Amino acid sequence: MSLTTKTKPRRTWLAVLGLLLIIGIAASVYGWVKFFREVPQPAWITDDPEMRFKYGSIGAEADAGIPYWIFYVLPRVFPEKLPGPGGYASFGVAWEQGMELPVGFTKKTIGFDRVANTCAVCHTATYRASVDSNPVFVPTGPNHTLDLAAFFRFLIDCAKDPRFDPDVLMREINLVTDLSWDDALIYRYLLIPITKKRLLERQTQFAWLYHSAFPDWGRGRDDSMNLTKYFMIEWPMDETFGPTDMPSIWNLGKYQADKGHRMNFAGDSHNAYSVVIDSALGLLGAPPKDNAEFLKQIDWMLDYLKAARAPAYPFAIDTALAEQGKAVFDATCAGCHASERTGTVVPVEEVGTSRDRMDTWNEKAAYEANKVVTDMGIQREGLVEEPLRGYVAAFLDGIWLRAPYLHNGSVPTLRDLLEPPADRPVTFWRGYNLYDRERVGYVTAGEDAEYYGSLHDTRLKGGGNQGHNYGTGLSDEAKTALVEYLKTL
């Protein structure tokens, strides 16, 4: 046998190995491009601080994101699971004219386009000056129109439906876009099944949203500490229920730990840095892939929120009447809301408001939540590891835009808050964004308020309007003057 004959099989085998190596490299590059290649967001988002807050990624797309075209067609396939007509707009999201997605929804390419939420979904306020005017958007304000519980239930209910199926979803996707042949295969055989599986895995964590004894949160509220219990530390569902209003998050620099200030309604967090970290981790739904990059984003967010300021009252103010109201404020309200007590916890026995929010959380939960974050390698002062005893005496900057009032949003307007609890509205519609200049809050009655809003019943669990009797004994003239002054804060 010649040398040439002996080496021919070896060369053939080497050629096969080389071909397999090339194919393997090509497959790896293809897989990286299709599933892991991260594309920076456009400059119109990243270079403008306000746009970055409203639409910029916080890194949630990789684990908590939904593939864009699945997200796009869900309202088309499952319209009966929405709270009303209008697709995602029916959830009361802040949606600026001409924008592809609502405020607080971010789109990013990590292999493929994915959609996730950011802090702005709950913290961008809107109001309208008149029935026929366009809404004004206020980043870092409370989104009192958002039906967050309905959004959570929508995603779970869609995933539970047999129609969340590749055949059904691909038929709808093909009506709105032309996917390439490989993307169509990826959606059909990977993204749709994986998305369904991931959503169903959260079904247990969202079980309390279906609890027959719990009323709906309603628009503009969320049950934040129960979210933490069931998602971060994965406790079993209990009987606590404590929805609160979406808070404003402007001017966070006013909270100073060395003055005894606490954060969140019940004072369960030490400082703004911890609050922003914990909120972002809740949106990520998983440990950050890169702690340094995550904390860099947190630093940016905190700087932005410290610099943000409450908007000035946009309508006319009777300055003479407001001056009279300042004297009333100084005598009646300043002891809690413009003093060393502001930002600190007032015992619930003193303020007299509902305990429901306090009772959703405890020292053991705080310890376990802090341990989860520490185990991620993230250092922050964290949640307060002691029993909750009351509610934080609120700073009042921008109070005109923070209706409904009390920590659980059970009083519709400032004028109503100055009435004795027995005389406050028992029921009202919350979530309509037409502004009520006279009573300072939003319009809460009438056909449009009912159509766009959700009914708040103060007799139901988590919705009581008792307590905070301060100023309720004032004369009508003094109350009117006080409300006029509060517009100036």
Side-chain angles (χ1 to χ4, degrees):
M1 183 181 293
S2 69
L3 181 62
T4 302
T5 302
K6 291 180 179 180
T7 58
K8 186 174 181 180
R10 182 181 299 171
R11 289 176 180 174
T12 302
W13 177 241
L14 289 175
V16 170
L17 284 177
L19 180 61
L20 290 174
L21 180 62
I22 292 171
I23 291 172
I25 293 173
S28 298
V29 171
Y30 176 84
W32 177 78
V33 169
K34 286 297 182 180
F35 292 98
F36 304 108
R37 180 178 63 100
E38 190 166 332
V39 178
Q41 289 188 296
W44 67 265
I45 292 178
T46 57
D47 291 352
D48 183 320
E50 183 175 308
M51 299 306 283
R52 180 175 174 180
F53 173 75
K54 290 189 291 187
Y55 302 105
S57 170
I58 63 169
E61 295 84 3
D63 289 299
I66 297 177
Y68 177 81
W69 290 111
I70 297 176
F71 179 84
Y72 188 97
V73 302
L74 285 182
R76 298 166 63 102
V77 177
F78 305 104
E80 76 284 356
K81 302 183 188 301
L82 297 166
Y88 287 112
S90 67
F91 295 109
V93 292
W95 206 326
E96 296 179 299
Q97 188 172 3
M99 298 303 294
E100 179 183 15
L101 292 170
V103 173
F105 287 75
T106 176
K107 177 182 176 183
K108 190 169 185 181
T109 301
I110 306 176
F112 50 89
D113 290 343
R114 315 177 192 218
V115 177
N117 291 126
T118 72
C119 302
V121 71
C122 293
H123 302 293
T124 297
T126 63
Y127 68 90
R128 288 182 302 131
S130 63
V131 173
D132 57 354
S133 64
N134 291 323
V136 177
F137 297 86
V138 184
T140 71
N143 187 349
H144 86 286
T145 65
L146 177 65
D147 195 338
L148 187 60
F151 178 67
F152 287 152
R153 284 196 299 265
F154 173 73
L155 295 178
I156 299 301
D157 290 345
C158 289
K160 289 162 57 178
D161 195 298
R163 291 173 295 162
F164 199 111
D165 168 85
D167 287 339
V168 175
L169 293 187
M170 286 307 301
R171 185 162 55 246
E172 199 65 37
I173 289 171
N174 289 334
L175 292 175
V176 294
T177 189
D178 292 320
L179 294 176
S180 63
W181 67 270
D182 53 340
D183 281 346
L185 290 174
I186 290 171
Y187 260 87
R188 174 176 287 277
Y189 294 109
L190 289 176
L191 298 187
I192 293 174
I194 289 172
T195 301
K196 182 182 181 78
K197 179 176 181 294
R198 285 187 171 182
L199 289 175
L200 290 178
E201 286 171 350
R202 296 202 162 195
Q203 188 174 349
T204 300
Q205 295 169 314
F206 281 127
W208 99 109
L209 290 175
Y210 298 87
H211 195 304
S212 59
F214 294 167
D216 201 29
W217 296 355
R219 293 183 181 271
R221 300 206 303 169
D222 79 327
D223 198 348
S224 58
M225 302 318 288
N226 272 330
L227 279 170
T228 305
K229 281 193 314 194
Y230 304 142
F231 277 76
M232 181 177 283
I233 58 180
E234 298 183 351
W235 277 17
M237 186 178 73
D238 56 37
E239 295 302 310
T240 63
F241 181 72
T244 58
D245 255 16
M246 305 291 185
S248 61
I249 55 173
W250 52 59
N251 192 18
L252 291 191
K254 62 180 178 267
Y255 292 94
Q256 299 178 43
D258 61 349
K259 294 184 177 181
H261 295 169
R262 293 283 181 82
M263 301 229 18
N264 291 340
F265 286 108
D268 38 65
S269 193
H270 285 283
N271 53 42
Y273 183 68
S274 296
V275 168
V276 175
I277 284 177
D278 291 344
S279 298
L281 288 175
L283 289 168
L284 262 63
K289 295 193 177 301
D290 184 325
N291 281 359
E293 187 62 31
F294 172 73
L295 293 175
K296 181 179 177 182
Q297 172 70 15
I298 294 298
D299 289 339
W300 177 87
M301 180 74 71
L302 189 56
D303 288 344
Y304 176 80
L305 297 177
K306 285 182 175 180
R309 290 294 182 268
Y313 185 75
F315 310 112
I317 294 176
D318 183 331
T319 54
L321 185 61
E323 188 62 30
Q324 296 175 32
K326 184 180 185 308
V328 179
F329 177 86
D330 290 342
T332 308
C333 313
C336 283
H337 296 294
S339 71
E340 292 183 355
R341 205 177 195 193
T342 311
T344 68
V345 175
V346 177
V348 69
E349 295 81 8
E350 180 179 340
V351 71
T353 50
S354 167
R355 290 186 54 93
D356 288 320
R357 164 61 173 81
M358 288 172 51
D359 292 340
T360 63
W361 196 245
N362 59 42
E363 185 177 2
K364 184 174 186 292
Y367 171 81
E368 292 191 17
N370 286 337
K371 186 177 185 304
V372 168
V373 178
T374 300
D375 289 346
M376 294 178 186
I378 295 173
Q379 300 299 318
R380 92 272 192 255
E381 197 163 356
L383 294 156
V384 177
E385 295 179 14
E386 61 186 47
L388 301 180
R389 60 187 184 88
Y391 295 103
V392 173
F395 291 91
L396 299 185
D397 49 330
I399 192 66
W400 68 272
L401 192 60
R402 287 156 57 182
Y405 297 100
L406 295 186
H407 68 274
N408 60 357
S410 59
V411 181
T413 68
L414 284 179
R415 192 63 177 78
D416 291 316
L417 187 59
L418 294 175
E419 298 301 323
D423 295 334
R424 295 168 184 166
V426 175
T427 62
F428 61 93
W429 295 92
R430 53 176 300 147
Y432 184 41
N433 67 356
L434 180 63
Y435 200 76
D436 184 341
R437 307 183 199 185
E438 180 180 351
R439 303 191 67 80
V440 184
Y442 297 96
V443 172
T444 59
E447 184 177 342
D448 287 341
E450 291 186 29
Y451 179 80
Y452 290 104
S454 58
L455 184 66
H456 184 99
D457 190 331
T458 60
R459 297 165 296 191
L460 300 180
K461 186 175 178 63
N465 64 359
Q466 68 267 26
H468 200 280
N469 294 314
Y470 314 105
T472 58
L474 295 170
S475 67
D476 285 345
E477 293 77 10
K479 290 177 181 179
T480 299
L482 175 56
V483 167
E484 197 71 11
Y485 171 71
L486 293 173
K487 295 175 182 177
T488 70
L489 299 180

